[in-house]
Amino acid sequence: MSDENGSRDPKQPPSTSVYAIYGVEPEVQAYAMAKYSRSALSMKESLREISEQKAEKFLNTYYFQYGHRSIADLAHIALAIERLSILAAIAVVDEQRWDGQERSTRYQDFSHPDYYQPEFGGNSAARTLFRETIDCLFAEYQAISARMFAHLQERTPRPIDMKQEAYDRTLRARAFDVARYLLPLATNTSLGEIVNARTLESQITRLLSDRFPEVRALGESLKEAARNPAYILNEAAFRELWEKIRGCDEGWGDKVRDLLLKEVRPAPTLVKYAAASPYLMHSREELEAAAAELMAGAAIAPAPPVDLLDDEPLEIEIATTLLYEHCAYPYRQIRDRVAALSAAECREIVDLGIKHRAPHDELLRAFNAGQTLRFDILMDIGGFRDLHRHRRCVQILQAFTDAHGYEVPDELDAAGLRQRYDDAMSRVQGAVAELKRTAGEDTDAIYLLPLAFRKRTLFKMDFAEAAYISELRTTAAGHFSYRRIAYQMFEAVAHRYPTLARHFRVTDVREPVDLLKR
């Protein structure tokens, strides 16, 4: 409190000051915030004092030399990533400390196919087969989408109080929910992300270490985007203003240019050493070999779509999870083999996950262990993409494969489209087998897989996250694929912990859904 002269009453404590910061380069902002622990200056005073050169010097010292990695948490960067395949988008999004949005297949126009074309080592026959199969999938997507829309119109009359535009939009979205099963992993999409520089550095490292060439190239592109000048939304208007002022006064014109048209490089210092990780690549290679050796000759055992796993010793969980990511078997089937090993043999598997770790490498994600609720989930890739967005749980992804078959939406039979759908999937499976045989490149052939094909993922979480996913993903507006999975998650927890079941606020997916309520 101040008196009439503006002096503060010494008996009153100073008031808390809160204000937002705008228009500051990410690395300069990180330096200014980091100074709170090293200086008595206010944020405004720090920002006025700091230059880009000072920020770079500080970051080089404290971030790289002293290893104060949390400083990079303070530099946030907005990035747009456009025209990447769905496969690559899944790789980008597979980051726990990540915020972003990807284009929804519900609201995109796929009448003009846009997709990633692998090189197949220059094999022209393989490229032709790939293109022909993709074109067939997009053609079937269009045909089934149109026929499904007509079918939904026939069985769902428009209410008198509903506008035709809203009615068509709603039913078309529902038709897309079925048709999206035909979209291949090669389909191009776009996404935006807002990440801190530490997460970005980790993301770039992971992408540069990936087995897919497209994903590795994407890692390089992200690194360059962080180091090069950012897009300035108002650049044209700023340039026009600068030219007008320069015409009146060249000196002031130069000052306006330096202020408004200054190149801003989001994180040139913080990501400059991001590179492919020998730890990730060597560990992947050796764990793949270990999984193949342990499971040699075993057929993939039948498993439910949602399997709530049992408690087990931490060493068994870590060893099993390390192998899980590098094969196509259910968690229980791998665990049974691991549990039959001697303590020394189990320890050897765990050691493979640490063997190549350098001083600054984070442990592999498989070591994020010990959660009470662990679900081994087998579901279509399209539905998985929706559950993949949940950041509070640990997710261990198995590779894409056609070994688990594909999902068939119930509505296809009612619309008389089941045979057409099965024919398209059979064609894809034949093409994938042929490409693997002739091109010898398993990774490239996988781009053909439509979103209907099943993917296995291990989801580890606490009770609150299980309740959140079950409640959010069972609502009537959601896609029928993940609604079923989320409800089965609820049922599994309710069966094991019946006294906790009443705390879930789920929607019963067995109840009929009004297609016009979304």
Side-chain angles (χ1 to χ4, degrees):
M1 180 180 295
S2 301
D3 61 23
E4 59 183 8
N5 297 318
S7 303
R8 186 177 62 82
D9 183 346
K11 297 180 181 179
Q12 296 293 327
S15 60
T16 300
S17 177
V18 180
Y19 49 90
I21 307 296
Y22 173 76
V24 181
E25 294 92 327
E27 291 194 345
V28 171
Q29 181 68 79
Y31 179 21
M33 288 192 169
K35 285 190 72 173
Y36 271 134
S37 67
R38 300 166 177 83
S39 167
L41 295 177
S42 72
M43 179 67 67
K44 294 175 184 177
E45 292 169 328
S46 291
L47 288 171
R48 283 194 291 266
E49 179 189 85
I50 296 170
S51 66
E52 287 181 46
Q53 291 80 10
K54 285 184 178 180
E56 181 179 0
K57 181 179 179 182
F58 172 84
L59 295 173
N60 277 324
T61 300
Y62 286 91
Y63 186 71
F64 294 111
Q65 289 183 280
Y66 296 166
H68 293 180
R69 313 293 284 179
S70 61
I71 293 172
D73 294 342
L74 305 172
H76 282 75
I77 304 149
L79 294 157
I81 308 171
E82 300 177 348
R83 294 196 73 249
L84 73 165
S85 72
I86 288 177
L87 183 150
I90 290 172
V92 171
V93 173
D94 190 36
E95 193 71 45
Q96 287 183 265
R97 300 181 293 262
W98 187 84
D99 295 300
Q101 287 287 322
E102 182 186 348
R103 280 181 175 163
S104 169
T105 54
R106 262 187 179 175
Y107 309 107
Q108 301 306 313
D109 179 10
F110 294 105
S111 58
H112 302 288
D114 184 21
Y115 56 86
Y116 174 76
Q117 169 73 67
E119 292 298 323
F120 289 104
N123 185 326
S124 59
R127 287 172 61 85
T128 299
L129 175 59
F130 182 90
R131 243 186 345 261
E132 289 174 347
T133 309
I134 288 275
D135 290 342
C136 172
L137 282 172
F138 277 107
E140 289 302 288
Y141 170 87
Q142 292 294 333
I144 288 179
S145 179
R147 180 66 193 95
M148 185 58 61
F149 177 65
H151 165 71
L152 294 176
Q153 282 182 311
E154 292 168 7
R155 57 166 279 200
T156 315
R158 178 175 67 86
I160 296 175
D161 60 347
M162 188 176 197
K163 292 183 179 180
Q164 185 70 43
E165 181 184 0
Y167 172 76
D168 290 345
R169 182 175 61 249
T170 301
L171 288 192
R172 209 172 295 284
R174 293 295 187 178
F176 288 158
D177 283 350
V178 174
R180 84 172 188 183
Y181 280 77
L182 290 144
L183 293 174
L185 283 169
T187 305
N188 277 335
T189 184
S190 296
L191 58 84
E193 65 175 30
I194 300 176
V195 293
N196 64 55
R198 177 155 57 160
T199 297
L200 179 61
E201 183 184 36
S202 172
Q203 183 183 54
I204 291 170
T205 296
R206 183 172 51 76
L207 296 178
L208 291 175
S209 309
D210 199 87
R211 66 174 74 247
F212 288 91
E214 180 200 10
V215 178
R216 295 197 297 272
L218 186 57
E220 291 287 356
S221 296
L222 278 171
K223 184 174 181 178
E224 288 305 305
R227 301 179 70 188
N228 289 331
Y231 168 71
I232 301 175
L233 176 62
N234 297 311
E235 181 176 4
F238 288 162
R239 192 168 294 279
E240 182 181 359
L241 177 62
W242 161 54
E243 289 175 351
K244 286 183 178 180
I245 294 175
R246 185 180 60 174
C248 300
D249 188 311
E250 188 171 347
W252 275 105
D254 289 342
K255 291 180 180 180
V256 168
R257 178 199 60 202
D258 294 343
L259 181 64
L260 299 182
L261 294 173
K262 173 187 176 183
E263 290 185 344
V264 175
R265 301 170 191 268
T269 308
L270 292 171
V271 304
K272 66 180 178 181
Y273 294 126
S277 166
Y279 176 43
L280 294 179
M281 294 186 293
H282 294 328
S283 297
R284 179 175 66 223
E285 181 181 345
E286 294 186 7
L287 287 168
E288 282 178 354
E293 180 181 352
L294 183 67
M295 306 303 295
I300 297 175
V306 175
D307 184 7
L308 178 57
L309 302 170
D310 304 317
D311 291 338
E312 59 207 353
L314 189 59
E315 297 90 339
I316 297 295
E317 179 189 343
I318 291 174
T320 303
T321 308
L322 283 166
L323 300 178
Y324 174 93
E325 184 179 356
H326 303 289
C327 61
Y329 296 96
Y331 184 94
R332 286 183 185 274
Q333 189 177 5
I334 304 168
R335 185 197 58 197
D336 289 346
R337 291 283 181 102
V338 170
L341 297 173
S342 67
E345 290 171 323
C346 182
R347 190 162 53 246
E348 287 177 7
I349 295 173
V350 176
D351 288 346
L352 288 178
I354 303 174
K355 178 179 175 183
H356 299 284
R357 187 186 179 204
H360 297 297
D361 288 327
E362 288 188 21
L363 281 169
L364 299 177
R365 192 179 298 178
F367 287 95
N368 292 351
Q371 294 83 353
T372 298
L373 300 177
R374 297 174 299 131
F375 299 90
D376 187 9
I377 295 178
L378 182 65
M379 67 185 303
D380 62 275
I381 298 170
F384 158 77
R385 290 171 71 222
D386 294 305
L387 292 192
H388 193 206
R389 298 177 186 145
H390 291 277
R391 303 283 155 220
R392 282 186 52 211
C393 53
V394 176
Q395 300 180 31
I396 308 295
L397 283 58
Q398 288 191 351
F400 300 105
T401 176
D402 59 349
H404 305 305
Y406 57 88
E407 293 287 345
V408 181
D410 296 337
E411 288 287 352
L412 287 172
D413 283 315
L417 294 167
R418 173 64 185 271
Q419 188 59 55
R420 188 166 189 168
Y421 178 85
D422 285 336
D423 289 345
M425 296 302 166
S426 294
R427 177 169 180 168
V428 168
Q429 288 176 306
V432 169
E434 179 66 13
L435 289 172
K436 288 179 181 179
R437 185 183 68 82
T438 59
E441 190 59 59
D442 186 16
T443 55
D444 286 348
I446 291 303
Y447 277 97
L448 278 181
L449 291 186
L451 300 185
F453 278 80
R454 299 184 184 103
K455 175 177 176 51
R456 191 183 297 285
T457 308
L458 183 63
F459 287 81
K460 304 181 178 187
M461 64 194 74
D462 58 23
F463 176 79
E465 182 68 358
Y468 176 74
I469 292 175
S470 298
E471 293 174 8
L472 176 68
R473 296 300 183 180
T474 57
T475 58
H479 193 281
F480 50 82
S481 169
Y482 64 66
R483 289 190 73 217
R484 286 195 293 261
I485 294 296
Y487 195 75
Q488 289 180 47
M489 291 173 66
F490 154 69
E491 289 182 312
V493 177
H495 177 74
R496 182 170 296 178
Y497 305 102
T499 59
L500 296 176
R502 61 191 178 89
H503 299 299
F504 284 81
R505 297 181 295 188
V506 298
T507 304
D508 192 337
V509 300
R510 297 165 297 188
E511 296 293 326
V513 172
D514 183 346
L515 295 180
L516 298 179
K517 290 184 178 179
R518 297 187 52 238

